[in-house]
PDB file of all heavy atoms in Angstrom:
ATOM      1  N   THR A  68      53.113  29.460  22.654  1.00 96.00           N
ATOM      2  CA  THR A  68      52.528  28.854  21.478  1.00 96.00           C
ATOM      3  C   THR A  68      53.506  27.848  20.895  1.00 96.00           C
ATOM      4  O   THR A  68      53.090  26.716  20.469  1.00 96.00           O
ATOM      5  CB  THR A  68      52.183  29.895  20.400  1.00 96.00           C
ATOM      6  OG1 THR A  68      51.530  31.002  21.057  1.00 96.00           O
ATOM      7  CG2 THR A  68      51.356  29.358  19.258  1.00 96.00           C
ATOM      8  N   GLN A 148      50.154  30.899  27.101  1.00 97.00           N
ATOM      9  CA  GLN A 148      49.546  31.691  26.050  1.00 97.00           C
ATOM     10  C   GLN A 148      48.125  32.005  26.450  1.00 97.00           C
ATOM     11  O   GLN A 148      47.388  31.113  26.985  1.00 97.00           O
ATOM     12  CB  GLN A 148      49.554  30.917  24.722  1.00 97.00           C
ATOM     13  CG  GLN A 148      48.974  29.486  24.804  1.00 97.00           C
ATOM     14  CD  GLN A 148      48.891  28.826  23.505  1.00 97.00           C
ATOM     15  OE1 GLN A 148      48.197  29.307  22.578  1.00 97.00           O
ATOM     16  NE2 GLN A 148      49.610  27.702  23.346  1.00 97.00           N
ATOM     17  N   GLN A 149      47.720  33.244  26.139  1.00 97.00           N
ATOM     18  CA  GLN A 149      46.348  33.657  26.690  1.00 97.00           C
ATOM     19  C   GLN A 149      45.248  33.020  25.913  1.00 97.00           C
ATOM     20  O   GLN A 149      45.411  32.546  24.750  1.00 97.00           O
ATOM     21  CB  GLN A 149      46.233  35.206  26.583  1.00 97.00           C
ATOM     22  CG  GLN A 149      47.168  35.864  27.549  1.00 97.00           C
ATOM     23  CD  GLN A 149      46.774  37.347  27.748  1.00 97.00           C
ATOM     24  OE1 GLN A 149      47.478  38.189  27.124  1.00 97.00           O
ATOM     25  NE2 GLN A 149      45.795  37.594  28.560  1.00 97.00           N
ATOM     26  N   HIS A 150      44.036  32.943  26.553  1.00 98.00           N
ATOM     27  CA  HIS A 150      42.747  32.583  25.918  1.00 98.00           C
ATOM     28  C   HIS A 150      42.633  31.042  25.591  1.00 98.00           C
ATOM     29  O   HIS A 150      41.494  30.601  25.567  1.00 98.00           O
ATOM     30  CB  HIS A 150      42.580  33.277  24.571  1.00 98.00           C
ATOM     31  CG  HIS A 150      42.961  34.727  24.589  1.00 98.00           C
ATOM     32  ND1 HIS A 150      42.390  35.629  25.429  1.00 98.00           N
ATOM     33  CD2 HIS A 150      43.854  35.447  23.887  1.00 98.00           C
ATOM     34  CE1 HIS A 150      42.889  36.835  25.239  1.00 98.00           C
ATOM     35  NE2 HIS A 150      43.847  36.787  24.347  1.00 98.00           N
ATOM     36  N   TRP A 188      44.795  30.756  21.013  1.00 96.00           N
ATOM     37  CA  TRP A 188      44.441  32.190  20.687  1.00 96.00           C
ATOM     38  C   TRP A 188      44.386  32.438  19.125  1.00 96.00           C
ATOM     39  O   TRP A 188      43.777  33.403  18.692  1.00 96.00           O
ATOM     40  CB  TRP A 188      45.536  33.117  21.296  1.00 96.00           C
ATOM     41  CG  TRP A 188      46.903  32.937  20.730  1.00 96.00           C
ATOM     42  CD1 TRP A 188      47.796  31.941  21.001  1.00 96.00           C
ATOM     43  CD2 TRP A 188      47.533  33.733  19.739  1.00 96.00           C
ATOM     44  NE1 TRP A 188      48.923  32.096  20.338  1.00 96.00           N
ATOM     45  CE2 TRP A 188      48.817  33.192  19.467  1.00 96.00           C
ATOM     46  CE3 TRP A 188      47.111  34.880  19.043  1.00 96.00           C
ATOM     47  CZ2 TRP A 188      49.683  33.714  18.620  1.00 96.00           C
ATOM     48  CZ3 TRP A 188      48.032  35.452  18.147  1.00 96.00           C
ATOM     49  CH2 TRP A 188      49.259  34.909  17.939  1.00 96.00           C
ATOM     50  N   ARG A 221      38.962  34.583  19.754  1.00 97.00           N
ATOM     51  CA  ARG A 221      39.917  33.790  20.543  1.00 97.00           C
ATOM     52  C   ARG A 221      39.600  33.746  22.025  1.00 97.00           C
ATOM     53  O   ARG A 221      40.124  32.867  22.757  1.00 97.00           O
ATOM     54  CB  ARG A 221      41.341  34.302  20.331  1.00 97.00           C
ATOM     55  CG  ARG A 221      41.620  35.656  20.946  1.00 97.00           C
ATOM     56  CD  ARG A 221      42.997  36.150  20.516  1.00 97.00           C
ATOM     57  NE  ARG A 221      43.430  37.389  21.168  1.00 97.00           N
ATOM     58  CZ  ARG A 221      43.089  38.611  20.752  1.00 97.00           C
ATOM     59  NH1 ARG A 221      42.246  38.822  19.701  1.00 97.00           N
ATOM     60  NH2 ARG A 221      43.557  39.673  21.409  1.00 97.00           N
ATOM     61  N   ASP A 331      50.727  35.159  29.220  1.00 97.00           N
ATOM     62  CA  ASP A 331      52.076  35.526  28.786  1.00 97.00           C
ATOM     63  C   ASP A 331      52.241  37.009  28.712  1.00 97.00           C
ATOM     64  O   ASP A 331      53.284  37.621  29.151  1.00 97.00           O
ATOM     65  CB  ASP A 331      52.452  34.876  27.421  1.00 97.00           C
ATOM     66  CG  ASP A 331      51.455  35.198  26.347  1.00 97.00           C
ATOM     67  OD1 ASP A 331      50.420  35.743  26.568  1.00 97.00           O
ATOM     68  OD2 ASP A 331      51.858  34.932  25.152  1.00 97.00           O
ATOM     69  N   ASN A 332      51.211  37.758  28.285  1.00 96.00           N
ATOM     70  CA  ASN A 332      51.400  39.244  28.225  1.00 96.00           C
ATOM     71  C   ASN A 332      51.379  39.880  29.602  1.00 96.00           C
ATOM     72  O   ASN A 332      52.260  40.678  29.873  1.00 96.00           O
ATOM     73  CB  ASN A 332      50.273  39.804  27.300  1.00 96.00           C
ATOM     74  CG  ASN A 332      50.483  39.442  25.894  1.00 96.00           C
ATOM     75  OD1 ASN A 332      51.513  39.766  25.250  1.00 96.00           O
ATOM     76  ND2 ASN A 332      49.591  38.602  25.354  1.00 96.00           N
ATOM     77  N   HIS A 370      42.265  45.667  24.670  1.00 97.00           N
ATOM     78  CA  HIS A 370      41.860  44.716  25.711  1.00 97.00           C
ATOM     79  C   HIS A 370      42.281  45.265  27.066  1.00 97.00           C
ATOM     80  O   HIS A 370      43.426  45.688  27.169  1.00 97.00           O
ATOM     81  CB  HIS A 370      42.453  43.362  25.464  1.00 97.00           C
ATOM     82  CG  HIS A 370      42.353  42.852  24.094  1.00 97.00           C
ATOM     83  ND1 HIS A 370      41.105  42.503  23.570  1.00 97.00           N
ATOM     84  CD2 HIS A 370      43.232  42.772  23.084  1.00 97.00           C
ATOM     85  CE1 HIS A 370      41.226  42.213  22.298  1.00 97.00           C
ATOM     86  NE2 HIS A 370      42.525  42.350  22.011  1.00 97.00           N
ATOM     87  N   PHE A 372      42.842  44.225  30.982  1.00 98.00           N
ATOM     88  CA  PHE A 372      42.975  43.097  31.906  1.00 98.00           C
ATOM     89  C   PHE A 372      43.170  43.615  33.315  1.00 98.00           C
ATOM     90  O   PHE A 372      43.780  44.652  33.448  1.00 98.00           O
ATOM     91  CB  PHE A 372      44.176  42.234  31.531  1.00 98.00           C
ATOM     92  CG  PHE A 372      44.172  41.680  30.130  1.00 98.00           C
ATOM     93  CD1 PHE A 372      45.354  41.710  29.352  1.00 98.00           C
ATOM     94  CD2 PHE A 372      43.068  41.106  29.518  1.00 98.00           C
ATOM     95  CE1 PHE A 372      45.392  41.258  28.066  1.00 98.00           C
ATOM     96  CE2 PHE A 372      43.123  40.603  28.227  1.00 98.00           C
ATOM     97  CZ  PHE A 372      44.273  40.626  27.478  1.00 98.00           C
ATOM     98  N   LEU A 384      46.176  46.013  26.437  1.00 97.00           N
ATOM     99  CA  LEU A 384      46.958  45.589  25.286  1.00 97.00           C
ATOM    100  C   LEU A 384      46.302  46.228  24.081  1.00 97.00           C
ATOM    101  O   LEU A 384      45.056  46.230  24.008  1.00 97.00           O
ATOM    102  CB  LEU A 384      46.820  44.061  25.061  1.00 97.00           C
ATOM    103  CG  LEU A 384      47.759  43.109  25.771  1.00 97.00           C
ATOM    104  CD1 LEU A 384      47.548  41.763  25.169  1.00 97.00           C
ATOM    105  CD2 LEU A 384      49.196  43.555  25.645  1.00 97.00           C
TER     106      LEU A 384
HETATM  107  O1  5FX B 674      46.111  36.694  21.964  1.00 68.54           O
HETATM  108  C1  5FX B 674      47.000  37.240  22.438  1.00 68.54           C
HETATM  109  C2  5FX B 674      46.793  38.354  23.431  1.00 68.54           C
HETATM  110  O2  5FX B 674      45.424  38.776  23.408  1.00 68.54           O
HETATM  111  C3  5FX B 674      48.350  36.721  22.186  1.00 68.54           C
HETATM  112  O3  5FX B 674      49.322  37.672  22.589  1.00 68.54           O
HETATM  113  C4  5FX B 674      48.581  35.456  22.986  1.00 68.54           C
HETATM  114  O4  5FX B 674      48.571  35.730  24.415  1.00 68.54           O
HETATM  115  C5  5FX B 674      49.935  34.816  22.545  1.00 68.54           C
HETATM  116  F1  5FX B 674      50.161  33.646  23.229  1.00 68.54           F
END
Side-chain angles (χ1 to χ4, degrees):
T68 312
Q148 52 175 301
Q149 292 194 260
H150 317 302
W188 67 280
R221 66 187 191 276
D331 57 347
N332 292 295
H370 312 290
F372 302 135
L384 274 192

